[in-house]
């Protein structure tokens, strides 16, 4: 099947994209508003974009329904120029989902989710102590794209926190101990890192050697 984007309703395009570009890492983003109040919300239109400079990107939509209004995360990034990406492990999934609830303004969603914050080293936004990886970021640029207050936020990582016991002295990361989750298809499916395989990257020489070995095999032999 194929579609020209212009022939798809917005909702259908969303469904096709979020159910095929999989899995997506999840950033539980913490920010603070101009009055100093902290906020946390999950975003899976998220990734690390480069290491030099160390950039992350977030895709933040406007609030659904009626007149477009910025989500608190976007409003706070505009107000303070900073945010923290807290990666989500299996133990944090339930709290992450509480942070996605559209609470009335007087509810402290970080407390409601049972999460604890600590001051960051280099940015005003706080970080979540229960997250295994916390990336303190300064907003580099935010692009308002399309309609309804969609924003692409680019942030530069200023400071990394990784829970003790996950990285050894040679900076090897134990990804079993990280136990991160990614967002999968549908509204509520997630994936862990437990099913994996190794596919060593090839050089031109090793690729040529494999080709030569394959063509030297007798007729009918497949492996
Ligand atoms: C796993 C997950 C991923 C999400 N990813 C995004 C996203 O990439 N962009 C977005 O605008 N909203 C996303 N949301 C919805 C926001 O988290 C939700 O609108 C939240 O209430 C925004 O909170 P805020 O107003 O405090 O910023 C996601 C929700 C969940 C549960």
């Amino acid at each position: 099947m194929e579609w020209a984007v212009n022939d798809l309703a917005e909702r259908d395009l969303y469904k096709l994209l979020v159910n095929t570009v999989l899995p997506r890492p999840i950033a539980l983003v913490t920010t603070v508003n101009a009055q100093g109040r902290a906020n946390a919300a999950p975003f899976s239109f998220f990734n690390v974009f480069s290491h030099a400079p160390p950039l992350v990107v977030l895709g933040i939509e406007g609030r659904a329904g009626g007149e477009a209004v910025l989500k608190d995360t976007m409003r706070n990034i505009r107000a303070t120029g900073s945010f923290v990406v807290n990666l989500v492990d299996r133990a944090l999934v339930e709290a992450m989902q509480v942070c996605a609830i559209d609470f009335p303004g007087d509810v402290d969603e970080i407390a409601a989710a049972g999460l604890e914050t600590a001051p960051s080293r280099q940015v005003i936004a706080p970080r979540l102590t229960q997250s295994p990886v916390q990336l303190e970021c300064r907003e580099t640029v935010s692009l308002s794209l399309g309609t309804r207050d969609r924003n692409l936020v680019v942030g530069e990582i200023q400071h990394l926190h990784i829970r003790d016991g996950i990285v050894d002295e040679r900076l090897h990361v134990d990804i079993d101990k990280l136990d991160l989750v990614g967002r999968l298809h549908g509204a509520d499916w997630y994936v862990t890192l437990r099913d994996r395989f190794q596919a060593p990257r090839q050089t031109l020489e090793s690729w040529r050697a494999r080709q030569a070995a394959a063509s030297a095999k007798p007729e009918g032999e497949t492996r």
Side-chain angles (χ1 to χ4, degrees):
M1 296 172 86
E2 56 176 292
W3 300 266
V5 160
N6 287 344
D7 295 337
L8 286 168
E10 183 188 308
R11 186 71 207 163
D12 292 334
L13 181 55
Y14 174 82
K15 275 199 317 211
L16 291 173
L17 290 178
V18 299
N19 292 323
T20 53
V21 183
L22 298 170
R24 297 188 305 284
I26 304 170
L28 184 50
V29 175
T30 36
T31 52
V32 73
N33 70 10
Q35 289 72 45
R37 180 168 168 165
N39 184 77
F43 295 91
S44 67
F45 286 149
F46 152 68
N47 220 312
V48 64
F49 185 72
S50 69
H51 70 285
L55 299 179
V56 298
V57 288
L58 302 172
I60 305 184
E61 300 178 342
R63 279 203 184 287
E67 193 128 313
V69 184
L70 293 180
K71 291 187 179 181
D72 292 341
T73 301
M74 191 61 230
R75 194 168 335 107
N76 293 351
I77 291 173
R78 277 202 184 156
T80 66
S82 82
F83 60 97
V84 177
V85 166
N86 304 273
L87 297 184
V88 177
D89 65 8
R90 187 70 190 83
L92 269 180
V93 169
E94 208 176 316
M96 178 271 292
Q97 284 170 322
V98 173
C99 293
I101 296 173
D102 209 358
F103 283 113
D106 57 342
V107 176
D108 179 344
E109 59 194 20
I110 294 181
L115 293 170
E116 279 165 21
T117 60
S120 290
R121 294 267 184 202
Q122 300 198 40
V123 302
I124 190 172
R127 57 199 175 88
L128 295 175
T129 55
Q130 288 110 313
S131 165
V133 180
Q134 307 141 21
L135 308 173
E136 298 182 15
C137 301
R138 240 187 266 291
E139 179 192 30
T140 304
V141 66
S142 289
L143 304 172
S144 275
L145 298 168
T147 52
R148 297 214 260 118
D149 289 319
R150 287 193 165 77
N151 277 276
L152 182 73
V153 178
V154 181
E156 182 162 346
I157 302 168
Q158 307 291 317
H159 207 95
L160 296 87
H161 305 256
I162 302 183
R163 185 189 293 148
D164 289 350
I166 290 179
V167 184
D168 71 14
E169 61 287 347
R170 293 166 63 211
L171 298 187
H172 288 173
V173 177
D174 185 333
I175 70 163
D176 286 319
K177 287 190 184 152
L178 268 185
D179 201 22
L180 295 180
V181 298
R183 193 162 189 195
L184 222 48
H185 58 293
D188 297 312
W189 284 94
Y190 296 88
V191 66
T192 65
L193 301 178
R194 298 208 180 105
D195 175 21
R196 49 187 193 248
F197 62 93
Q198 198 171 20
R201 189 161 168 170
Q202 294 197 41
T203 61
L204 182 57
E205 290 69 31
S206 70
W207 180 80
R208 282 190 174 137
R210 277 172 162 234
Q211 297 293 108
S215 59
K217 276 193 185 128
E219 202 61 12
E221 191 177 317
T222 53
R223 8 189 286 131

